[in-house]
Amino acid sequence: MSGARRKVNNTHDSEILRGLHAAIIDLVEEINRPSRDERLVAEAGIPLDRALFPLLASVARYGPVGVVEVADRTGRDHTTISRQMTKLEELGLIERRASATDKRVREATVSAKGQKMVTALDAARERLANRILVSWTDAELDDLRRLLRRFADDLMR
Amino acid sequence: MSGARRKVNNTHDSEILRGLHAAIIDLVEEINRPSRDERLVAEAGIPLDRALFPLLASVARYGPVGVVEVADRTGRDHTTISRQMTKLEELGLIERRASATDKRVREATVSAKGQKMVTALDAARERLANRILVSWTDAELDDLRRLLRRFADDLMR
DNA sequence: GCTCAATATGTGCATATTACACATTGATTC
DNA sequence: GAATCAATGTGTAATATGCACATATTGAGC
């Protein structure tokens, strides 16, 4: 960059943006498809309510976390998350206890049983991915990863 | 390629796959966030039920389409789509009539009013995108578009 | 220390979203 | 043309979600 004038892109090529949007919509709808979760569950050999999936993943990724933090991340009401966390706890997939520093917060972490399920799901996902992505090189995948990471960060910023 | 041995990738670098998955999850959750639709609706100055959004877009993109085709695309039950299509029709955003070639199918197309809304939403989305993507060059965006298009196609195949 | 606004969690109730069972109508197969 | 399949729709129930409100705890200001 040095002293060079950095071009600021106030407007982008409409055609590129539309194509990008179409690809995003296709991806999101494919990921949201209930049958995908079912296939993943079948591959992992594990039963889990569809709505609880992202929650368990969120606790595994960010735990220990409280209800409000998870609610903020997912954009849903905290009461919804509260109920679903209770379900996860009843299923023995997460454990909760009052935080040492703030007794209002009931920190959630994945239990041993929950971790086993997360690990099984990760492995199943990787097997499915490898089956789907045979035509990709690692370099191409890493390009996509890097660009998508940047895009998601800009979106969330 | 020519005569060169094309390497088939039965397994990819786990770290790349995990990073890619994390980016995808972040993107999908960001897109699914209800507040995004609200912001878009506010930007476009148009009121539309959150659940009807993707449906109107689907009709606009693939129309004329029947209930079952849309249901297959979105992965939801056809009865759900049937009711939502009825709502869209009552709102005057789509029009339906029996197909000439198959009278079982009630082909749906966007109405003039619906098209106006789709256009307004597209414009609003583009404005928001340009605001978010100032640090991107068109070439980078096109790279992302191309890779994501290929990825989504492989996923849907 | 005391008061008060802000924060984290949870419950009661209403609504929204969705699916399953079943019916109807039209197409297709043999 | 009888049997079967496909597209659409209705009745009903289950699930998911949000809003209003309540409780417990924290932290800020006095």
Side-chain angles (χ1 to χ4, degrees):
Chain A
M1 222 67 20
S2 63
R5 184 84 154 287
R6 182 72 169 95
K7 186 180 173 192
V8 175
N9 295 280
N10 288 319
T11 64
H12 288 289
D13 186 317
S14 279
E15 202 164 332
I16 294 176
L17 287 179
R18 279 202 303 274
L20 181 56
H21 179 247
I24 291 173
I25 293 306
D26 285 343
L27 172 67
V28 169
E29 294 200 334
E30 193 59 33
I31 299 287
N32 282 339
R33 194 174 289 258
S35 58
R36 279 201 76 76
D37 291 338
E38 286 160 21
R39 215 180 319 164
L40 192 57
V41 161
E43 174 80 20
I46 285 175
L48 180 55
D49 233 1
R50 182 162 58 90
L52 302 182
F53 252 87
L55 225 39
L56 179 61
S58 199
V59 174
R61 182 170 172 189
Y62 298 107
V65 282
V67 167
V68 168
E69 182 177 346
V70 175
D72 285 344
R73 287 191 188 285
T74 58
R76 277 173 299 178
D77 197 86
H78 76 273
T79 60
T80 301
I81 305 298
S82 174
R83 281 175 243 263
Q84 291 176 338
M85 294 273 264
T86 302
K87 272 192 202 169
L88 278 181
E89 194 176 22
E90 285 167 355
L91 291 170
L93 298 173
I94 66 171
E95 289 161 354
R96 291 197 288 179
R97 55 166 195 178
S99 161
T101 58
D102 186 340
K103 273 185 283 193
R104 291 171 305 178
V105 180
R106 295 221 293 147
E107 291 176 336
T109 49
V110 290
S111 67
K113 182 179 170 188
Q115 185 55 54
K116 202 176 273 185
M117 185 172 293
V118 170
T119 303
L121 287 172
D122 284 348
R125 188 179 306 110
E126 189 165 330
R127 282 196 299 277
L128 288 176
N130 277 318
R131 215 176 297 163
I132 289 171
L133 302 173
V134 285
S135 80
W136 292 67
T137 66
D138 274 4
E140 289 169 334
L141 280 178
D142 201 42
D143 280 346
L144 176 57
R145 182 201 56 72
R146 181 176 41 78
L147 289 167
L148 205 55
R149 177 73 269 154
R150 177 176 165 203
F151 187 83
D153 286 341
D154 280 355
L155 223 58
M156 297 187 296
R157 76 133 151 7
Chain B
M1 221 70 17
S2 60
R5 183 83 156 289
R6 182 70 170 98
K7 186 179 172 193
V8 174
N9 295 279
N10 290 318
T11 65
H12 288 289
D13 186 316
S14 279
E15 201 164 333
I16 295 177
L17 286 180
R18 279 202 304 273
L20 181 56
H21 180 247
I24 291 172
I25 293 306
D26 285 343
L27 173 67
V28 169
E29 294 200 334
E30 192 61 33
I31 299 287
N32 282 339
R33 195 174 288 258
S35 58
R36 281 200 76 76
D37 290 340
E38 286 160 22
R39 214 180 318 163
L40 191 58
V41 160
E43 173 80 22
I46 286 175
L48 181 57
D49 234 1
R50 183 163 56 91
L52 302 181
F53 251 87
L55 223 42
L56 180 60
S58 198
V59 174
R61 183 168 171 192
Y62 298 108
V65 281
V67 167
V68 168
E69 182 177 344
V70 175
D72 285 344
R73 287 190 188 286
T74 59
R76 279 174 296 178
D77 196 87
H78 77 274
T79 61
T80 301
I81 305 299
S82 174
R83 280 175 242 262
Q84 291 176 337
M85 294 272 265
T86 301
K87 273 193 200 167
L88 278 181
E89 194 176 21
E90 284 167 355
L91 290 170
L93 298 173
I94 65 171
E95 289 161 354
R96 292 198 287 180
R97 55 167 196 178
S99 160
T101 58
D102 186 339
K103 274 186 282 194
R104 290 172 305 180
V105 180
R106 294 221 293 146
E107 291 176 336
T109 49
V110 291
S111 67
K113 183 180 171 188
Q115 185 54 55
K116 202 178 273 185
M117 186 173 291
V118 170
T119 303
L121 287 172
D122 284 347
R125 186 180 307 111
E126 189 166 329
R127 282 195 299 278
L128 288 177
N130 277 318
R131 217 176 295 164
I132 289 171
L133 301 174
V134 285
S135 79
W136 292 67
T137 66
D138 274 4
E140 289 169 334
L141 280 179
D142 201 43
D143 280 347
L144 176 57
R145 181 200 58 71
R146 180 176 41 78
L147 290 166
L148 204 55
R149 177 74 269 154
R150 179 177 163 201
F151 187 84
D153 286 341
D154 279 355
L155 222 58
M156 299 187 296
R157 76 128 152 10

